[in-house]
């Protein structure tokens, strides 16, 4: 059966037409795709949409993640990384310790620094400016991607000012873009159950909006495989798509499968591998205005991250170096991959590896 016939068989021929013309899929069509009993067909449609946009190119980045603290005022139920200030196990890196960590990688041509932490109750903006200054000094060439919309919102609350003020000051110190964490699931009822103290979904969108208006691009995540269902995921994608219509500021969407260890939500039925791939495929097909879909190997695991590259994803993230949020929650992926390993994963799926920086600009290999 060819693709046309398979789509007819599953009553998806109208969707195939839209995939080929690039027309927008409705939420009803997204639901139909999710429920298609043939996941390979769904993958083929998503791969077709991805190939229309990116050809056979799959990007990766030589990057280094820094988690600067785990002390957090929010006690999200899915989070295994966070500690409260009063109990043991908390850490906060001094900017000099961040410098040391960055200096361990100086022999690598790192192109992106990804700096995230938590909502620390005490630190003011000065502290975050020092972190950026340190990062900029050690790595003047790397894209400086730091602080999720939730962190920005928290810094503004600590300082008693608007997020714009925070964003402008951080930008003046070298901030180039925001990572996409903290979006979780926007639906208020699910959010109330999984992260009742965190900034609302609307607030996350609002801070992203304000960053875009200041010319600061951002990424967007979605945490799935916990208490939410397909309907909530589609609504989450729809909210991102609407904002993107207005601002064009999202560079990349990153679906994050929930890691179940060491956190209060961990008793849920684990999501299946195919549901992960379906979600990645549906996100490629629904998010027609967000250029990149990331297969984040840390949370997906290496075999599934490679498979996702045939289900609509066009980016494999990067070398990472050290990651705590997924690994404290049980992710069994390695801590670090090197360039050869990333390229081999991409070539294994018949695609062409292309090195990028944090802004998804192609860079020359050195
Ligand atoms: O914000 C927390 C999520 C995020 C768990 O922007 C969990 O390029 C799964 O945002 N299971 C951090 N996920 C990771 C992140 C990210 C990663 C890679 C690239 C980019 C980017 C962003 O991880 C958190 C939260 O949403 N998270 N706990 C968990 N148990």
């Amino acid at each position: 059966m060819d693709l046309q016939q398979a789509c007819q068989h599953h009553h998806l021929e109208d969707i195939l037409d839209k995939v080929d013309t690039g027309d927008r899929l409705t939420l009803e069509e997204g639901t139909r795709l999710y429920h298609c009993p043939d996941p390979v067909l769904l993958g083929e449609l998503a791969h077709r949409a991805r190939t229309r946009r990116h050809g056979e190119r799959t990007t990766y980045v030589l990057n280094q993640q820094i988690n600067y603290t785990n002390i957090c005022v929010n006690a999200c139920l899915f989070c295994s990384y966070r500690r409260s200030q009063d109990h043991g196990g908390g850490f906060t890196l001094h900017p000099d310790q961040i410098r040391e960590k960055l200096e361990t990688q100086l022999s690598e041509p790192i192109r992106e620094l990804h700096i995230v932490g938590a909502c620390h109750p005490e630190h003011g903006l000065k502290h975050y400016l020092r972190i950026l200054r340190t990062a900029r000094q050690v790595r003047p060439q790397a894209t400086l991607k730091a602080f999720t919309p939730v962190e920005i919102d928290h810094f503004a609350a600590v300082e008693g000012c608007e997020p714009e003020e925070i964003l402008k000051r951080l930008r003046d110190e070298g901030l180039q873009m925001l990572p996409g964490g903290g979006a979780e699931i926007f639906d208020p009822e699910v959010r109330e159950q999984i992260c009742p103290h965190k900034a609302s979904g609307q607030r996350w969108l609002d801070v992203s909006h304000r960053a875009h208006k200041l010319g600061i691009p951002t990424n967007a995540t979605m945490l799935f495989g916990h208490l939410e269902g397909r309907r909530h995921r589609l609504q989450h994608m729809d909210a991102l798509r609407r904002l993107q219509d207005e601002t064009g500021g999202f560079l990349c969407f990153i679906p994050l499968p929930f890691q179940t260890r060491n956190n209060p939500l961990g008793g849920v039925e684990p999501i299946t591998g195919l549901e992960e791939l379906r979600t990645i495929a549906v996100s490629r097909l629904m998010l027609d205005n967000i250029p990149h879909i990331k297969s984040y190997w840390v949370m997906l695991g290496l075999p599934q991250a490679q498979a996702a590259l045939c289900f609509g994803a066009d980016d494999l993230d990067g070398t990472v170096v050290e990651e705590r949020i997924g690994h404290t929650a049980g992710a069994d992926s390695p801590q670090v991959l090197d360039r050869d390993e990333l390229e081999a994963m991409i070539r294994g799926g018949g695609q062409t590896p292309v090195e990028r920086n944090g802004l998804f600009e192609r860079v020359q290999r050195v």
Side-chain angles (χ1 to χ4, degrees):
M1 221 191 300
D2 67 15
L3 181 63
Q4 184 88 38
Q5 288 165 334
C7 285
Q8 270 166 8
H9 180 72
H10 290 289
H11 309 292
L12 296 176
E13 58 274 46
D14 52 339
I15 294 183
L16 175 60
D17 287 345
K18 282 190 166 184
V19 170
D20 285 340
T21 53
D23 283 350
R24 176 155 292 186
L25 300 182
T26 63
L27 282 179
E28 183 275 323
E29 288 163 336
T31 308
R32 263 201 284 147
L33 281 167
Y34 245 135
H35 286 90
C36 171
D38 181 354
V40 176
L41 176 59
L42 179 51
E44 226 176 310
L45 288 170
H47 193 65
R48 201 171 170 96
R50 163 239 144 85
T51 307
R52 239 180 127 245
R53 213 176 240 279
H54 300 293
E56 295 302 321
R57 294 179 301 280
T58 294
T59 46
Y60 69 93
V61 60
L62 302 187
N63 65 353
Q64 181 174 7
Q65 286 197 20
I66 300 283
N67 295 134
Y68 62 84
T69 188
N70 65 350
I71 296 175
C72 191
V73 296
N74 300 318
C76 303
L77 280 80
F78 54 78
C79 185
S80 315
Y81 165 75
R82 170 262 180 194
R83 294 289 178 274
S84 71
Q85 199 172 25
D86 309 328
H87 297 90
F91 75 88
T92 298
L93 298 182
H94 187 275
D96 291 341
Q97 292 171 298
I98 294 178
R99 177 187 298 279
E100 279 165 29
K101 279 188 184 282
L102 295 174
E103 284 176 349
T104 62
Q105 299 300 308
L106 276 179
S107 58
E108 301 294 330
I110 298 281
R111 301 291 195 162
E112 174 193 87
L113 296 180
H114 175 153
I115 303 177
V116 292
C119 295
H120 192 285
E122 281 164 6
H123 292 146
L125 180 60
K126 255 169 109 179
H127 178 72
Y128 304 107
L129 292 170
R130 282 186 70 190
I131 291 179
L132 290 186
R133 203 170 310 137
T134 303
R136 178 58 56 239
Q137 280 166 1
V138 183
R139 279 289 178 194
Q141 309 295 342
T143 308
L144 201 39
K145 175 175 85 173
F147 312 129
T148 66
V150 169
E151 286 161 281
I152 300 291
D153 192 49
H154 176 72
F155 304 166
V158 170
E159 290 289 338
C161 66
E162 289 297 314
E164 275 88 350
E165 182 62 24
I166 301 289
L167 287 164
K168 283 183 196 162
R169 298 278 305 277
L170 294 171
R171 185 181 59 185
D172 291 346
E173 205 59 74
L175 179 78
Q176 288 170 282
M177 64 180 290
L178 306 189
E184 323 312 356
I185 277 281
F186 295 140
D187 180 84
E189 282 174 23
V190 177
R191 210 172 173 89
E192 178 62 27
Q193 293 179 70
I194 65 168
C195 49
H197 308 298
K198 189 171 226 158
S200 68
Q202 195 47 53
R203 194 72 192 148
W204 187 96
L205 288 161
D206 184 48
V207 174
S208 302
H209 189 174
R210 294 182 198 209
H212 298 172
K213 289 290 173 201
L214 289 171
I216 302 171
T218 73
N219 290 341
T221 55
M222 177 179 75
L223 179 69
F224 70 104
H226 43 90
L227 302 183
E228 92 302 348
R230 291 171 171 177
R231 175 173 63 90
H232 302 113
R233 294 178 214 150
L234 284 165
Q235 285 165 353
H236 187 97
M237 293 174 203
D238 188 50
L240 292 172
R241 191 167 75 170
R242 284 167 197 256
L243 177 53
Q244 182 75 340
D245 276 344
E246 218 179 310
T247 66
F250 289 121
L251 296 179
C252 179
F253 178 68
I254 308 132
L256 299 170
F258 173 49
Q259 311 294 307
T260 56
R261 303 247 177 87
N262 309 319
N263 61 65
L265 259 193
V268 299
E269 181 78 14
I271 193 165
T272 66
L274 278 177
E275 189 66 8
E276 288 179 350
L277 293 176
R278 282 177 195 279
T279 299
I280 289 161
V282 168
S283 67
R284 174 63 291 163
L285 291 161
M286 292 299 289
L287 295 174
D288 52 45
N289 54 4
I290 298 188
H292 302 285
I293 305 290
K294 181 176 293 190
S295 172
Y296 186 44
W297 57 262
V298 169
M299 305 281 191
L300 286 165
L302 301 188
Q304 183 78 325
Q306 189 183 39
L309 299 179
C310 300
F311 276 73
D314 65 285
D315 183 75
L316 195 52
D317 199 74
T319 44
V320 176
V321 181
E322 185 184 15
E323 195 279 343
R324 296 177 188 245
I325 298 171
H327 286 99
T328 52
D332 62 3
S333 51
Q335 276 292 334
V336 56
L337 291 182
D338 64 22
R339 180 206 293 278
D340 290 345
E341 289 168 312
L342 290 164
E343 291 203 347
M345 280 173 74
I346 294 168
R347 287 211 176 87
Q351 295 156 11
T352 309
V354 172
E355 189 182 342
R356 65 164 174 89
N357 63 14
L359 296 164
F360 286 83
E361 296 161 340
R362 191 177 184 145
V363 297
Q364 283 306 319
R365 248 186 96 126
V366 287

